[in-house]
């Protein structure tokens, strides 16, 4: 069935370091792909999305490219800040269902 | 402001009691969803509704019930049949039941059963 696999955390980085969080998916057809961010005690917020192959989603310095050939949607940011500390979820939408990864916790230290 | 509200933010109940979690949205979205989140885990779908007066079971519906009498509201009842109800519950909505749109999430309700 359809599913999402993302790298396990926790991830700890120093401020201004480069961030990559890997996400791969399994799905037939052409799902839409999303990255969400969750701050402690809150709901999920959409970070970025891509709806077709080779689309690049971007927001707040984060980027992810929909790679159909490798079934991947890796999240990247060139220079992380302390305020980026949160849990990041990769997700796909297929029809009326959303499938989420298990989340990757990121801590950025000054 | 448009958005999704969940209340209360924290809820405590004794074992064996039913409890209802509120979810309201003023985004005019057709589809609404309930998820459960446990520590260190992703989101698991409990129920979803594509339209008023209709809803479908998700992956972990046992021990839960929902209703969708109004477009804006999708309350979730955690019954005494749910074996391990302590968790963080998230409500979400989307514009259409099928498509490429994202889901919008409420702030969540943390339920603790004592």
């Amino acid at each position: 069935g359809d599913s999402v696999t993302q790298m396990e955390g926790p991830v700890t980085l120093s401020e201004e370091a480069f961030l990559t969080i890997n996400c791969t998916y399994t799905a037939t057809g052409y799902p839409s792909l999303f990255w969400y961010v969750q701050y402690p005690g809150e709901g999920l917020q959409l970070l970025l999305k891509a709806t077709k192959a080779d689309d690049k989603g971007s927001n707040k310095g984060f980027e992810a490219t929909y790679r159909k050939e490798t079934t991947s949607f890796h999240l990247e940011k060139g220079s992380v800040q302390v305020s980026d500390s949160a849990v990041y979820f990769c997700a796909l939408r297929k029809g009326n269902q959303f499938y989420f990864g298990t989340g990757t916790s990121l801590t950025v230290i000054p | 402001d448009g958005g999704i509200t969940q209340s209360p933010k924290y809820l405590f109940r004794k074992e064996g009691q039913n409890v209802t979690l509120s979810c309201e949205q003023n985004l005019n979205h057709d589809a609404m969803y309930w998820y459960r989140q446990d520590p260190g885990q992703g989101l698991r779908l409990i129920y979803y509704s594509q339209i008023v007066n209709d809803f479908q079971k998700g992956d972990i519906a046992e021990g839960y019930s929902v209703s969708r009498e109004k477009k804006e509201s999708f309350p979730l009842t955690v019954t005494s049949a749910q074996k391990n109800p302590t968790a963080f519950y998230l409500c979400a909505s989307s514009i259409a039941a099928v498509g490429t749109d994202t889901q919008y999430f409420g702030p969540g309700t943390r339920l603790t059963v004592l």
Side-chain angles (χ1 to χ4, degrees):
Chain A
D2 299 329
S3 66
V4 172
T5 302
Q6 62 181 103
M7 67 184 274
E8 293 191 14
V11 175
T12 303
L13 294 174
S14 296
E15 204 164 24
E16 299 184 5
F18 184 86
L19 169 71
T20 299
I21 301 178
N22 290 339
C23 172
T24 57
Y25 68 90
T26 300
T28 57
Y30 302 93
S32 296
L33 301 174
F34 306 86
W35 276 102
Y36 291 88
V37 59
Q38 184 180 35
Y39 298 100
E42 297 184 9
L44 277 66
Q45 302 173 27
L46 176 67
L47 183 58
L48 51 85
K49 76 172 189 178
T51 59
K52 60 182 188 295
D54 300 324
D55 263 3
K56 176 186 284 188
S58 61
N59 185 27
K60 300 180 181 179
F62 291 90
E63 293 183 340
T65 301
Y66 190 147
R67 301 282 188 203
K68 192 158 178 65
E69 64 275 15
T70 54
T71 62
S72 64
F73 193 54
H74 304 321
L75 182 68
E76 296 182 336
K77 186 174 185 181
S79 176
V80 293
Q81 305 300 311
V82 172
S83 57
D84 293 328
S85 298
V87 180
Y88 293 82
F89 290 90
C90 184
L92 73 82
R93 177 172 189 169
K94 182 79 179 299
N96 59 16
Q97 293 269 17
F98 288 78
Y99 300 88
F100 290 83
T102 53
T104 301
S105 174
L106 170 66
T107 300
V108 180
I109 55 178
Chain B
D1 276 11
I4 301 176
T5 56
Q6 291 185 244
S7 61
K9 189 168 180 65
Y10 298 96
L11 190 54
F12 297 88
R13 280 295 182 268
K14 292 183 178 179
E15 197 171 335
Q17 288 182 332
N18 290 358
V19 60
T20 298
L21 282 59
S22 167
C23 177
E24 304 279 331
Q25 54 99 358
N26 61 4
L27 301 168
N28 200 33
H29 287 175
D30 291 309
M32 296 187 75
Y33 308 77
W34 272 107
Y35 294 93
R36 171 182 171 137
Q37 185 178 24
D38 293 284
Q41 298 190 31
L43 279 66
R44 292 186 289 170
L45 181 66
I46 305 173
Y47 269 97
Y48 66 99
S49 168
Q50 300 180 60
I51 196 169
V52 174
N53 291 324
D54 183 59
F55 47 82
Q56 287 80 42
K57 293 181 178 180
D59 300 320
I60 55 165
E62 185 174 350
Y64 299 97
S65 66
V66 293
S67 63
R68 187 86 188 275
E69 296 176 2
K70 299 185 299 181
K71 189 175 186 178
E72 310 80 48
S73 179
F74 191 42
L76 173 74
T77 297
V78 184
T79 75
S80 56
Q82 167 52 233
K83 298 301 180 195
N84 185 18
T86 294
F88 189 51
Y89 291 86
L90 288 162
C91 180
S93 69
S94 63
I95 292 174
V98 179
T100 63
D101 300 296
T102 186
Q103 286 181 317
Y104 295 84
F105 284 83
T109 293
R110 186 167 298 280
L111 172 65
T112 302
V113 175
L114 306 172

